Amino acid sequence: MSGPLERTVALVTGAAQGIGLGIARALALASYKVVLADIEQELVERAAAALRAEGCQAVGESLDVTRADHWGRVVEQLDSRWGALDLLVNCAGISPRGTVESTDETLWEQTLGVNLKGAWLGIKAALPGLRSRQGTIVNIGSTRATRPMPGLFSYVVSKAGLWGLTQQVAVEYLAEGITCNMIAPGWVDTPNERRLQARYGRPDFPEGIRNLTTPEEVGAAVVYLASPHARKINGVILYLDAGLHIADDAGMVHLSDRSRPPFAQRLENTEATVVSGTRPSHP
Ligand SMILES: NC(=O)c1ccc[n+]([C@@H]2O[C@H](COP(=O)([O-])OP(=O)(O)OC[C@H]3O[C@@H](n4cnc5c(N)ncnc54)[C@H](O)[C@@H]3O)[C@@H](O)[C@H]2O)c1
């Protein structure tokens, strides 16, 4: 029996900057030929050129993930340049703020369009290639898919939907050797996340926050999920947040305030007081 096919051709959406660029770079350095696709044409072409200057095989393509015709063009061009696609990474995303009541239909459609429909359209367009190569799909979700936060209504819904989509695709194509998984990062230090936090969240981001994830760490996780070692990993969420999603308040307390001692240390101090003050001593 022949072994698994080597994966060599990847397409990453949202690759002009931030996490998508981190993923594209990790794949390119792991010898993938990479198409970096983004709605920001100039930025994505510059990002691809920078990778080529590092000796990597990379091209930048303009793509609006919400447009089926754009997907058709990009996949066709990729096919004729490098042959069938065997790794699709859906990373393009937006994270607007809004509650259930303040979110209007336009915002709802924009967020679900990019974060959820965009991934579906990409998978649909890539499937012929993925099928021929027993390829793999990695969707970039968020810890917020399973740990919602007030004020992130359409984002949380879109990422929860992406988790459903991930499982459905995994089930529909498992007989064909295609895998589909979702990476759920916690806070990742990207230029746009800095802007968002300055405006809506934590002005002390990133200096004041501990346990931030880096784009390089997300890239390394994608390289792993696409490797032969991960052939049996299908339909899962890979949390990439130092375990914060299982901590209290979705990890916010643990994330906060780098200047304070870590939780465990503070707990040790508390226990020492309790033991000496109230517990009976044992022989
Ligand atoms: N930064 C974080 O803390 C964090 C945490 C968890 C998950 N995520 C997810 O990771 C992904 C990337 O986040 P980031 O911080 O790097 O964001 P970013 O804003 O830096 O990058 C997102 C990219 O997507 C592109 N994009 C937006 N709409 C598009 C469209 N219609 N078609 C094609 N491209 C489009 C943008 O031009 C941009 O280059 C998003 O899906 C986000 O939800 C981010």
Side-chain angles (χ1 to χ4, degrees), residues 7 54 123 126 143 145 150 173 212 255 266:
R7 289 185 176 135
E54 288 189 69
I123 291 167
T143 49
Y173 297 98
L212 281 177
L255 272 168
R266 278 186 270 146

Side-chain angles (χ1 to χ4, degrees), residues 7 9-11 27 32 85-89 130 136-138 222 226:
R7 289 185 176 135
V9 181
L11 189 156
L27 290 168
Y32 278 83
L85 174 68
D86 46 20
L87 166 60
L88 171 67
V89 184
L130 294 174
T136 191
I137 301 155
V138 180
V222 172

Side-chain angles (χ1 to χ4, degrees), residues 13-20 37-40 43 63-66 90-95 114-115 140-143 155 159 184-193 205:
T13 69
Q17 55 197 323
I19 298 174
D38 204 288
I39 200 165
E40 296 283 348
L43 210 55
L63 166 77
D64 178 348
V65 294
T66 66
N90 287 308
C91 182
I94 54 172
S95 50
V114 178
N115 295 3
I140 305 304
S142 166
T143 49
Y155 181 78
K159 294 295 185 180
W187 265 340
V188 185
D189 185 12
T190 64
N192 278 338
E193 192 60 30
F205 184 93

